[in-house]
Amino acid sequence: MSARGIRIEGLRKRYGEGDTAVEALKGVDMQVAPGEVVGLIGPSGSGKSTLLKCLGAVIDPTAGRMTLGDEVIYDDGWKVRDLRALRRDKIGFVFQAPYLIPFLDVTDNVALLPMLAGLGNAEARATALALLTALDVQHRARAMPSQLSGGEQQRVAIARGLVNRPPVILADEPTAPLDSTRAMAVIRILNDMARKYQTAIIVVTHDEKIIPTFRRIFHIRDGVTTEEPGEGRGFD
Amino acid sequence: MKKLPLRNRSLALLAVILPLLALFIYVALRSGPLAPVAVTLETVEAQELRPALFGIGTVEARHTYRIGPTVAGRLARLDVHVGDLVTAGQVLGEMDPVDLDDRLRAQESVLRGAQASLREAEARRTHARTQARRYEQLFAVRSSSEELMTTKRQELEIAEAGLASAREALEGARSSLEGLVAQRTDLRLIAPADGLVAARDVEPGTSLAGGSTVLEIIDPASLWIDVRFDQIGAAGLAAGLPARIVLRSRDGRSSSGRVLRVEPKADAVTEELLAKVRFDAIPQPLPPVGELAEVTIELPPLPEAPVISNAALRREGDRIGVWQVVDGGLRFTPLVLGASDLEGRMQVREGLEAGDRVVAYSEKPLGAKTRIQVVDRIPGGPR
Amino acid sequence: MISLAGRDILHAWGKFVFTGLGLGLLIGVTLVMAGVYRGMVDDGKALLDNSGADLWVVQKDTLGPYAESSSLNDDVYRSIRAMPGVARAANATYLTMQVRKGDGDVRAMVVGIAPGQPASTPGWPPYLVAGRQITRAHYEAVADVASGFALGDRIAIRRNHYTVVGLTRRMVSSSGDPMIFIPLKDAQEAQFLKDNDAIRQSRRRTAANPVFSRPGQPGVLEAVIASQSTNAFVNTVLVRLEPGHAADAVADAIRRWKRLTVYTRPQMEDILVGKLIATSARQIGMFLAILAVVSAAIVAFIIYSLTMDKIREIAVLKLIGTRNRTIAAMIMQQALALGVLGFVVGKISASLAAPYFPKYVLLVPLDSIAGFFAVLVICVLASLVAIRIALAVDPAEAIGG
């Protein structure tokens, strides 16, 4: 096993108590290696969101084990005290809508995370700018989010997800609002970045256009995942 | 809405905030208790001052004649009305004589009776004298007795006494008549002097007590003004000073006059001096008696001295003085003051020199530490 | 670390500034309200200051001359003047009445001032803004500018006309009516001789009384009418002390030997401020409390709605690891900034508006400072609601589904 990446074993999540309890996750096993982009697909109500929230450390699983890199973060209970710092430093988020902070410009949107982690303003901005350059949006560095196109916004959101070099990035329908060309561009970026920064990326999607691009796909149905190989088209 | 770039928006915000802050500081320092007090200055000038006194009084007639009957009676007629000019001796009216005329006629009869008695007594005496002389001659030639002659002489004396008695009776009757005539004359109301009828208090037919007034006659040439001056500041009031008189009905037009006399007795209750002021020329038409008049007496001008306006005068503790502007700050200068005129100028005996700058008006009370701002006109003041 | 609050304000500055302006006007109203109260107190004090007196001698057992009517014989001052410790004693009358000029009239307090030297005689206006002090013993007036009269105006008080020769400022009665100073004798007459009709009626009543017009006693009626037509009363005797004499000691002596009521300056202030305007003061206090509550509610609502607009951003911020402290600080800073902006606008608007109020509005700097801190406290309290909501936002909301 690589030192980075994410591994999930027997993850369970039950909502409610007693008779009305609903078991959303019934023992999920997943493993994503660093530099790998995997797809997570499943119909509505399949437990997709619940899994994402557990992975994102915003809700508590009921049982199971999660390992991020070589750190066990959950083993029938959280093993880290500060979940917020965990999210900030170890997990990157890319959402369906970019959810950029509207009152910060592009650079500060990205630089906010390192700043929150305690980095100096200038340093944080330099890091952000480097990343924006890597994502080819450095020309919009001083613009406000509302002035960007959808693709640009999504690239900035990816930059924000990457900026603290987390071992894993959770991408929730990142291409949903985009046309196929732009969607493919985003997937290409994700793949590039995964490789470049050795990050494991889990893309939750039901966008038919991009499903063929994954090498591995996890299907989730009724709280259980099954893995199958993807076509892995287009990216080598 | 197209968003401005961040920098421009910062500038826009500054453009709002900075003037606001500037205004705030200005407002905090320039209004309310922290603001400097606006004052105006005046320069002390050496001037001669014409002090004056101001008093008010009423038009009065120096001579007022109240005419009425001396005894009780009823007014029979009244020939004059208010406003009529009358001359001395003119009959103005008459009281009802009642039975006086009858008594007069009776007395005339008595007089005539007395005259007849006198003539009778004279006739008797003439006869008695003739008889007495005849018997004296007869006795001298001894053709009559001495006794007869003595009798005739006695008859003569009796006749003379009767004559004297008749004469006195006539005199008494004549005096009585004259008394009645005088009474009759007294019933007439007669003007004692030339003048103007000022009041007609009763109408014919009215019964009057002795001594009540029927008519008032004034002498228009003797109109004067009974003026009252406040005792404070009335120094210098003396007879002979020129006066300006403004009658209440003739506001704005003044007549000239002169102080006739200052009354030796002042009014102790109202704390006023009384004086009489006479018109140089009685204004025509005649001002009504009792009309209010404002009288300004001009006193002799005073020699040149530093003069300030009375508006500049301030009190600081128990001292009276002015605020002088020295080196941009305020300094209180106590003053010894002299006379003042009616325009509010006051002479300074001690404390200031001509050319000194003193605070004339201020929008607030001043103190030695007050920050001032010299202006031409107090803002918010007279428009 | 960048200031999230500042960036947010910059981003929505129009909304922020206009909200601040609105809040500012409300704070301005609050400050003016406090100023109205201070103005009322100051009116009372100005009345006392301007009289130039240390003691007020009034009719026995009255609260005169301002709070209650009082009447003294006008020669009482002579005996008071002779008391030890009294430097000056001067008669004065105060009567609130309508003063006519042309067709209009103005409600004013007519003050009768004893003849004497300006500045040294108690009761005279201590300073002028134009013209001169009264020099004639009759028919001249000095008016407060608030009356609207100008130099040279002819004004009518009761039966007589007066020429305005001087103007002064801040000479007001305790209810804020402008003062008009006229010579004492005229004022006494004005108090008594109301108008020609009243005089005629009074004469007729007297003449109809058989006691006064007996036949055979001419002159009695005239004498009675003459004695009825004079007014030998004043409202108060203003006393100024010689330096070195205690007000209370002199006041006691006058009370004891002259059997009159005497008030010292603190007692007079107590009457004017404590008794005359006590109800109005409570009224204004009530208004202040309501305005404070309304301001707090408005700040709370504004901050609440600003926060609700950002609820998604706050969820994202939380999701990406922003601390509660940072988010709370952002909201509170915005509330405080709004408060400061509102206060600045309020202070400016209050200061600019104050001179246009019909009654005196006195903005005391200490009040403003107290108001500033009150605004900050209100803003902090008002932001607590929004902070509570922001902290309750679930970061999971940022993740769809």
Side-chain angles (χ1 to χ4, degrees):
Chain A
M1 265 329 297
S2 158
R4 293 174 75 91
I6 181 164
R7 192 167 64 203
I8 303 161
E9 295 155 282
L11 195 69
R12 290 172 174 277
K13 172 66 185 175
R14 192 171 62 235
Y15 292 105
E17 293 292 325
D19 293 345
T20 59
V22 176
E23 194 134 64
L25 298 178
K26 300 170 180 168
V28 173
D29 296 308
M30 250 177 109
Q31 192 195 342
V32 186
E36 189 181 19
V37 180
V38 300
L40 179 64
I41 55 182
S44 293
S46 60
K48 206 168 47 169
S49 285
T50 305
L51 178 58
L52 204 61
K53 285 173 185 170
C54 288
L55 290 174
V58 291
I59 60 171
D60 302 334
T62 315
R65 185 180 162 91
M66 287 197 287
T67 313
L68 202 57
D70 42 15
E71 184 186 3
V72 177
I73 58 167
Y74 188 87
D75 188 2
D76 292 347
W78 291 107
K79 297 296 169 193
V80 279
R81 296 237 327 265
D82 190 345
L83 291 183
R84 218 170 274 202
L86 173 76
R87 290 202 296 268
R88 186 182 68 206
D89 300 334
K90 299 284 172 62
I91 304 169
F93 294 93
V94 178
F95 309 101
Q96 175 176 1
Y99 289 158
L100 299 175
I101 309 296
F103 51 82
L104 297 180
D105 65 13
V106 165
T107 314
D108 286 342
N109 253 297
V110 178
L112 183 61
L113 271 104
M115 284 177 190
L116 289 172
L119 216 59
N121 283 2
E123 216 175 327
R125 286 202 179 114
T127 312
L129 208 56
L131 212 52
L132 289 171
T133 310
L135 285 163
D136 203 24
V137 280
Q138 77 279 14
H139 59 286
R140 308 306 304 263
R142 300 299 305 173
M144 298 306 281
S146 55
Q147 296 166 303
L148 302 182
S149 69
E152 285 170 337
Q153 286 189 24
Q154 200 57 290
R155 272 186 277 173
V156 174
I158 293 167
R160 183 174 66 186
L162 282 166
V163 70
N164 273 355
R165 304 291 148 79
V168 62
I169 288 179
L170 305 176
D172 183 13
E173 305 270 11
T175 60
L178 303 176
D179 60 29
S180 65
T181 321
R182 284 167 209 273
M184 292 310 284
V186 167
I187 291 300
R188 185 189 299 275
I189 290 165
L190 286 177
N191 275 286
D192 289 350
M193 293 299 134
R195 219 169 320 160
K196 187 168 175 186
Y197 297 111
Q198 282 300 299
T199 305
I201 298 180
I202 299 171
V203 180
V204 178
T205 186
H206 40 300
D207 185 348
E208 296 293 335
K209 301 187 291 288
I210 62 168
I211 290 173
T213 65
F214 302 115
R215 290 216 173 78
R216 289 164 70 208
I217 298 171
F218 291 90
H219 283 277
I220 183 163
R221 198 166 284 119
D222 298 331
V224 184
T225 47
T226 51
E227 186 189 338
E228 60 185 53
E231 297 174 33
R233 266 205 316 243
F235 308 107
D236 297 306
Chain B
M1 184 182 106
K2 187 177 167 4
K3 296 276 179 180
L4 295 162
L6 182 64
R7 198 166 298 268
N8 288 359
R9 250 177 299 130
S10 308
L11 286 178
L13 190 64
L14 279 183
V16 173
I17 298 288
L18 280 184
L20 215 54
L21 270 181
L23 196 60
F24 176 71
I25 292 165
Y26 172 81
V27 154
L29 292 182
R30 285 281 149 173
S31 73
L34 297 180
V37 177
V39 300
T40 63
L41 299 185
E42 69 167 30
T43 307
V44 180
E45 284 173 31
Q47 277 181 347
E48 73 170 18
L49 208 61
R50 298 188 65 91
L53 299 175
F54 179 81
I56 58 167
T58 47
V59 175
E60 304 284 350
R62 188 174 186 174
H63 303 298
T64 301
Y65 306 96
R66 288 164 198 271
I67 295 161
T70 52
V71 291
R74 198 169 61 238
L75 186 61
R77 63 183 175 89
L78 208 48
D79 301 339
V80 291
H81 290 272
V82 172
D84 289 356
L85 285 169
V86 297
T87 51
Q90 184 180 341
V91 174
L92 307 174
E94 199 168 2
M95 298 298 290
D96 190 345
V98 196
D99 61 345
L100 197 58
D101 286 341
D102 302 328
R103 272 159 49 206
L104 205 63
R105 273 194 299 280
Q107 192 60 42
E108 277 168 358
S109 304
V110 170
L111 183 67
R112 278 193 296 276
Q115 280 166 341
S117 302
L118 181 66
R119 280 196 300 276
E120 183 189 329
E122 273 172 350
R124 279 207 183 128
R125 193 200 62 176
T126 311
H127 175 69
R129 188 182 284 161
T130 317
Q131 286 289 33
R133 199 176 294 138
R134 203 152 56 96
Y135 277 92
E136 272 171 16
Q137 286 165 356
L138 286 177
F139 178 69
V141 294
R142 299 281 179 189
S143 60
S144 177
S145 68
E146 188 182 355
E147 188 189 358
L148 209 54
M149 183 196 70
T150 311
T151 306
K152 291 300 171 189
R153 208 175 264 173
Q154 189 193 12
E155 279 174 356
L156 175 62
E157 279 169 17
I158 289 170
E160 278 183 340
L163 179 63
S165 164
R167 241 183 224 131
E168 288 307 314
L170 177 64
E171 206 53 44
R174 185 173 286 137
S175 294
S176 292
L177 182 64
E178 279 170 4
L180 284 176
V181 169
Q183 269 188 39
R184 183 69 181 80
T185 313
D186 189 48
L187 289 181
R188 284 184 301 195
L189 305 175
I190 293 169
D194 290 357
L196 182 75
V197 178
R200 176 173 151 139
D201 290 345
V202 290
E203 291 305 312
T206 315
S207 293
L208 297 168
S212 49
T213 306
V214 175
L215 290 170
E216 265 183 53
I217 293 174
I218 57 164
D219 179 1
S222 75
L223 283 184
W224 65 11
I225 295 173
D226 195 0
V227 199
R228 312 171 78 89
F229 294 93
D230 203 293
Q231 288 168 9
I232 289 176
L237 184 62
L241 289 170
R244 255 180 309 117
I245 302 160
V246 177
L247 294 167
R248 190 170 158 103
S249 63
R250 294 167 215 197
D251 194 9
R253 275 178 296 151
S254 65
S255 324
S256 62
R258 208 158 272 280
V259 178
L260 186 67
R261 66 163 189 262
V262 180
E263 299 292 341
K265 288 178 76 174
D267 189 330
V269 174
T270 60
E271 298 158 3
E272 285 169 320
L273 293 183
L274 310 176
K276 299 284 188 279
V277 171
R278 208 179 50 195
F279 288 102
D280 284 346
I282 305 283
Q284 295 296 337
L286 283 180
V289 170
E291 181 175 354
L292 205 66
E294 300 177 4
V295 177
T296 308
I297 308 281
E298 291 180 1
L299 299 178
L302 298 172
E304 246 187 30
V307 163
I308 58 166
S309 155
N310 68 0
L313 216 56
R314 306 294 162 93
R315 180 176 68 90
E316 189 68 4
D318 56 337
R319 297 175 307 166
I320 305 300
V322 291
W323 287 102
Q324 238 183 309
V325 177
V326 180
D327 302 332
L330 287 174
R331 194 183 68 197
F332 189 75
T333 310
L335 298 181
V336 178
L337 292 161
S340 58
D341 70 2
L342 290 179
E343 297 316 306
R345 289 177 302 169
M346 306 186 101
Q347 275 195 341
V348 179
R349 291 230 184 91
E350 276 174 43
L352 288 176
E353 300 294 324
D356 286 347
R357 305 273 285 163
V358 299
V359 173
Y361 305 127
S362 65
E363 58 175 354
K364 279 179 190 173
L366 300 174
K369 290 191 177 130
T370 310
R371 284 196 300 138
I372 57 164
Q373 183 193 10
V374 177
V375 295
D376 290 337
R377 212 165 53 91
I378 303 290
R383 277 159 287 263
Chain C
M1 187 62 205
I2 49 174
S3 160
L4 292 177
R7 292 308 181 87
D8 188 28
I9 289 171
L10 274 184
H11 183 250
W13 70 274
K15 187 183 194 176
F16 184 82
V17 164
F18 283 112
T19 311
L21 287 178
L23 178 66
L25 294 180
L26 189 64
I27 291 173
V29 171
T30 313
L31 288 175
V32 166
M33 217 65 198
V36 167
Y37 170 71
R38 296 288 180 192
M40 285 169 67
V41 172
D42 198 69
D43 277 353
K45 289 190 173 164
L47 177 62
L48 300 183
D49 284 339
N50 297 338
S51 70
D54 297 318
L55 296 179
W56 285 259
V57 181
V58 298
Q59 184 184 339
K60 194 167 169 56
D61 299 331
T62 62
L63 288 178
Y66 311 115
E68 195 181 336
S69 69
S70 144
S71 152
L72 292 174
N73 277 314
D74 63 3
D75 51 2
V76 164
Y77 89 94
R78 300 182 199 170
S79 55
I80 290 171
R81 174 68 190 83
M83 302 280 295
V86 174
R88 277 188 171 270
N91 286 324
T93 65
Y94 295 93
L95 185 63
T96 301
M97 55 171 96
Q98 297 298 116
V99 175
R100 283 166 290 137
K101 184 200 149 195
D103 294 334
D105 60 1
V106 172
R107 185 178 173 76
M109 181 181 246
V110 173
V111 184
I113 49 176
Q117 194 184 49
S120 68
T121 311
W124 284 61
Y127 58 89
L128 299 183
V129 295
R132 59 169 171 85
Q133 300 273 18
I134 291 170
T135 53
R136 290 172 171 84
H138 292 279
Y139 310 137
E140 286 190 341
V142 168
D144 187 281
V145 285
S147 64
F149 298 142
L151 289 183
D153 278 358
R154 297 273 284 159
I155 57 176
I157 298 172
R158 297 277 199 251
R159 299 178 57 251
N160 286 320
H161 288 82
Y162 298 80
T163 308
V164 176
V165 297
L167 293 173
T168 180
R169 203 174 156 274
R170 286 294 297 131
M171 304 288 161
V172 290
S173 74
S174 56
S175 51
D177 297 326
M179 280 183 172
I180 308 239
F181 296 85
I182 61 173
L184 181 75
K185 286 213 169 59
D186 292 350
Q188 279 178 296
E189 193 182 276
Q191 279 198 354
F192 186 78
L193 299 179
K194 289 159 190 73
D195 60 80
N196 292 350
D197 274 343
I199 295 167
R200 250 185 79 78
Q201 299 287 356
S202 150
R203 269 195 214 154
R204 221 158 58 186
R205 262 195 299 279
T206 311
N209 187 338
V211 175
F212 295 136
S213 56
R214 282 224 162 113
Q217 289 180 357
V220 172
L221 185 62
E222 280 78 11
V224 169
I225 286 172
S227 84
Q228 280 178 344
S229 316
T230 54
N231 174 18
F233 292 97
V234 294
N235 299 128
T236 184
V237 175
L238 304 173
V239 173
R240 190 145 65 232
L241 299 174
E242 274 172 5
H245 281 82
D248 287 322
V250 178
D252 277 342
I254 297 174
R255 272 184 212 118
R256 183 170 172 198
W257 298 114
K258 302 293 167 205
R259 292 169 307 284
L260 295 166
T261 297
V262 185
Y263 293 109
T264 59
R265 170 78 196 229
Q267 287 169 331
M268 213 66 203
E269 268 183 31
D270 191 50
I271 291 172
L272 285 183
V273 179
K275 295 201 166 73
L276 269 190
I277 64 171
T279 320
S280 314
R282 279 202 294 278
Q283 182 104 335
I284 287 173
M286 216 37 226
F287 262 113
L288 276 180
I290 291 169
L291 283 173
V293 170
V294 170
S295 306
I298 287 184
V299 175
F301 173 74
I302 290 165
I303 296 295
Y304 173 80
S305 72
L306 283 177
T307 307
M308 288 311 279
D309 287 350
K310 289 198 295 283
I311 214 80
R312 180 134 263 180
E313 285 80 39
I314 288 169
V316 173
L317 283 171
K318 284 177 119 177
L319 183 67
I320 64 174
T322 312
R323 307 225 161 261
N324 281 346
R325 207 175 41 223
T326 314
I327 292 168
M330 173 177 84
I331 294 170
M332 195 170 281
Q333 279 168 18
Q334 282 182 350
L336 290 177
L338 199 59
V340 170
L341 178 69
F343 176 79
V344 168
V345 171
K347 172 74 183 160
I348 292 170
S349 55
S351 299
L352 294 183
Y356 297 99
F357 278 78
K359 281 183 80 170
Y360 186 54
V361 175
L362 176 64
L363 300 170
V364 181
L366 270 180
D367 280 356
S368 298
I369 292 167
F372 178 66
F373 285 107
V375 166
L376 293 190
V377 168
I378 285 173
C379 286
V380 168
L381 292 179
S383 67
L384 292 182
V385 181
I387 288 173
R388 244 181 92 81
I389 289 168
L391 294 190
V393 170
D394 185 358
E397 277 180 33
I399 299 173

